[in-house]
Amino acid sequence: MESSKVIHAFYNDDEVLMDAVKAVKAEHLHIEEVFCPFPVHGLDKAMGLAPTRLAITAFLYGITGLAFAIWMTNYMMIQDWPQDIGGKPNFSWWANMPAFVPIMFELTVFFAAHLMVITFYMRSRLWPFKEAENPDPRTTDDHFLMEIPVNNNEAKIIDLLASTGAVEINVVDKH
């Protein structure tokens, strides 16, 4: 049976936290999560997290928006209801394309932005009315919390965390 205990180590400085993360990773221990009141530059790299692929999805969503804009302007202005506006030919999308550039730009940005927000929330599992998973409210104010699972090495981890400058160390049962 696997233990459901975790160690919560609290830090009150982001640089001390970064040094602690590096020390814990140097001991080949797994860090389950780090809760911070603000983004800490370089923490993802120090924890060994894989780089995000959200930029790729943003590009694909932008291309989708551009394709939709091209289809929409062609359908509306050329096929469905062709009009002679300012002497421009109404039989060719290419001849009218410069007039459609603002529409193509705006729909590219619109699709990329809105679909990225939806993707971010889905990827982060942030649903409407979701309960907060923050283990301690101090991490939204001025403390940093490192969560490390315990696997019959509780004393070793506590000694290591105490040597890294943790201001508080707690062993808790994770539910």
Side-chain angles (χ1 to χ4, degrees):
M1 181 175 158
E2 191 173 314
S3 174
S4 64
K5 285 185 178 181
V6 293
I7 294 178
H8 287 171
F10 290 88
Y11 296 88
N12 55 12
D13 185 70
D14 58 334
E15 291 180 14
V16 175
L17 171 76
M18 282 292 289
D19 293 339
V21 166
K22 290 173 185 174
V24 169
K25 292 308 268 184
E27 292 293 321
H28 305 292
L29 294 171
H30 174 68
I31 299 172
E32 189 68 31
E33 187 66 76
V34 175
F35 297 89
C36 302
F38 55 84
V40 178
H41 180 69
L43 184 61
D44 53 341
K45 205 171 270 190
M47 288 179 62
L49 299 177
T52 181
R53 294 184 304 260
L54 285 176
I56 297 168
T57 59
F59 177 75
L60 294 175
Y61 294 152
I63 292 295
T64 304
L66 179 63
F68 180 78
I70 291 170
W71 171 82
M72 183 184 77
T73 54
N74 183 59
Y75 178 74
M76 287 180 180
M77 299 300 291
I78 307 301
Q79 293 176 0
D80 186 45
W81 196 270
Q83 298 177 44
D84 185 357
I85 300 173
K88 291 185 177 137
N90 57 8
F91 57 84
S92 168
W93 185 86
W94 285 106
N96 289 291
M97 193 268 295
F100 301 147
V101 168
I103 296 166
M104 293 186 299
F105 172 77
E106 291 298 334
L107 282 176
T108 299
V109 172
F110 180 87
F111 271 62
H114 286 79
L115 292 174
M116 279 305 300
V117 168
I118 293 168
T119 301
F120 174 76
Y121 284 141
M122 289 174 57
R123 182 69 180 97
S124 301
R125 295 183 178 92
L126 293 173
W127 314 114
F129 312 108
K130 183 178 186 225
E131 296 274 333
E133 294 178 7
N134 196 353
D136 193 291
R138 292 178 289 176
T139 61
T140 63
D141 187 21
D142 62 350
H143 279 72
F144 303 86
L145 183 145
M146 185 188 320
E147 185 177 272
I148 302 173
V150 176
N151 296 314
N152 299 323
N153 55 354
E154 186 176 320
K156 175 187 169 193
I157 296 173
I158 290 174
D159 291 341
L160 173 64
L161 293 172
S163 70
T164 62
V167 294
E168 182 181 329
I169 300 171
N170 302 322
V171 180
V172 296
D173 283 324
K174 191 169 186 178
H175 301 284

